[in-house]
Amino acid sequence: MAGRFAPRSPRTQVRGGFPMGSLGVSGAVAGRVRTWVPEGAVDLGLVLGPLRRGPADPTFRMLPDGSAWRACRTPGGPGTLRVSLRDGAVRGEAWGPGGDWLLERLPELMGAADDPSAFRPRHRLLALTRHLRPGLRLTRTGLVMESLIPSVLEQKVTTVEAYRAWRMLVRRFGERAPGPAGRGEVPGLAGGMYVMPDARTWGLIPSWEWHRAGVDDKRASTILRAVRVAARLEEGVGMGAGEARRRLEVVPGVGVWTSAEVVQRSHGAADEVTVGDLHLPGIVGFALAGDRYADDAEMLRLLEPYGGQRHRAVRLILVSGRVPGRRAPRMPVGDIAGL
């Protein structure tokens, strides 16, 4: 979990973005465009970074020019969105049947529904990090299954295994993203981008394909149970984060860890803390109290002063770079596909 929110290479922190023509996309058909001017600073890498599932995620990429590309399945159908930032304005360009839906929700995606001013730092590290990273906002995607399925894949395994499984399943059973990103016409998007499968397709994936992707039966079964009620779970975007979490946790195999991971992205939930993570309590404990052995209870105690903004406090800690050094070997990467 910590690795997913930690700062990436400098290219994900670039502020800027350029018209499609400057990318050298030959013959690319221009998409529909919307421009939105946010109040205050916005950093594309920090805002959209949690949506990326590994450096080779076929549904999300950030390019050296500072633009972010996102391919997703919306209520209107598959869509591709390119987001760039220039002169304080966010520019979105979209392709596909879901393009209008993506452009309509561009401000929320970039944190328009978030209120960073509500956060009151009570620790020097948090105050300094907020000063250095003023562009951190909490994204709200408005999509549940998009975050739920990869979060289930990340249960009880290394991020390397989870990212590999997500990449393999989306490329094999998803569909090419609409527009130039799916056709491989954008430099830097090697192999093109893909939209994740719809609920029916997830439900029809044979057991041996889950095995080849390194997904054990427990996680695969959880996903299969979830996609059967996908429509009901997607309704959770119209609820509060707490109510949406309770609905998610009705699905066997979806616990407090997974539901928190989902609503942090789908709802932009500023107060939902990931409990049950292997590394997060130690990171928070080390940053706020010098206690690298803190457990969930201690982490929640340390975050009490930030009630209503606990997730933001955790994000600030993770991007601060103040994490305890490793004192044990990394968890070995499994490969059940070879069994």
Side-chain angles (χ1 to χ4, degrees):
M1 188 271 191
R4 292 197 296 278
F5 286 146
R8 303 291 182 180
S9 62
R11 67 180 184 180
T12 66
Q13 306 298 331
V14 175
R15 292 179 172 87
F18 305 92
M20 286 289 296
S22 66
L23 292 175
V25 183
S26 59
V29 177
R32 287 148 289 179
V33 175
R34 178 181 181 181
T35 301
W36 172 68
V37 180
E39 296 181 5
V42 172
D43 187 308
L44 292 184
L46 293 178
V47 176
L48 300 181
L51 303 181
R52 185 174 74 164
R53 307 290 180 162
D57 185 349
T59 68
F60 184 91
R61 301 292 293 275
M62 293 204 67
L63 299 187
D65 69 347
S67 64
W69 290 78
R70 183 167 179 254
C72 57
R73 187 169 298 281
T74 75
T80 303
L81 178 68
R82 176 182 183 267
V83 185
S84 58
L85 182 64
R86 170 167 284 187
D87 299 328
V90 176
R91 182 180 186 272
E93 187 171 6
W95 295 263
D100 290 337
W101 190 94
L102 289 169
L103 291 178
E104 180 183 348
R105 286 156 180 79
L106 176 64
E108 287 192 356
L109 181 71
M110 295 306 302
D114 184 35
D115 182 15
S117 64
F119 182 74
R120 296 289 184 270
R122 299 174 181 271
H123 191 282
R124 184 176 182 275
L125 176 68
L126 296 179
L128 178 61
T129 305
R130 188 178 71 162
H131 174 73
L132 295 175
R133 304 293 184 111
L136 173 62
R137 295 192 181 197
L138 303 181
T139 184
R140 177 185 173 96
T141 66
L143 298 170
V144 172
M145 298 304 295
E146 177 189 76
S147 297
L148 175 59
I149 292 175
S151 294
V152 173
L153 292 175
E154 291 166 6
Q155 292 176 349
K156 306 296 184 181
V157 297
T158 63
T159 54
V160 173
E161 294 170 81
Y163 293 158
R164 179 180 61 195
W166 172 249
R167 182 172 64 250
M168 291 178 63
L169 292 169
V170 171
R171 285 188 175 274
R172 180 161 179 76
F173 298 101
E175 59 185 279
R176 287 277 184 175
R183 297 191 297 266
E185 298 175 350
V186 180
L189 299 182
M193 296 184 67
Y194 289 77
V195 176
M196 79 169 196
D198 58 20
R200 173 177 168 78
T201 303
W202 282 113
L204 294 176
I205 296 177
S207 59
W208 57 86
E209 293 292 354
W210 292 104
H211 188 85
R212 288 175 179 173
V215 182
D216 58 80
D217 182 65
K218 182 177 180 180
R219 287 179 292 153
S221 298
T222 299
I223 292 174
L224 293 177
R225 286 190 289 265
V227 297
R228 294 190 188 107
V229 292
R232 294 286 289 166
L233 296 180
E234 290 289 1
E235 291 174 0
V237 297
M239 307 173 179
E243 189 176 354
R245 289 189 65 178
R246 287 189 289 273
R247 177 169 291 199
L248 284 164
E249 291 167 17
V250 169
V251 179
V254 177
V256 293
W257 183 93
T258 306
S259 66
E261 289 285 299
V262 173
V263 299
Q264 287 166 4
R265 297 166 173 83
S266 63
H267 289 66
D271 194 48
E272 301 299 327
V273 183
T274 302
V275 175
D277 192 83
L278 179 61
H279 303 291
L280 187 61
I283 293 174
V284 174
F286 180 76
L288 299 183
D291 181 6
R292 64 179 299 149
Y293 301 106
D295 56 12
D296 282 331
E298 177 64 10
M299 175 181 69
L300 294 177
R301 187 190 69 79
L302 292 171
L303 293 174
E304 279 182 6
Y306 307 102
Q309 296 284 316
R310 294 180 299 173
H311 175 53
R312 189 189 310 280
V314 172
R315 286 292 313 277
L316 288 170
I317 291 170
L318 293 174
V319 302
S320 72
R322 181 171 171 75
V323 297
R326 291 185 177 274
R327 300 190 65 181
R330 292 178 180 270
M331 181 178 175
V333 177
D335 183 14
I336 67 171
L339 298 178

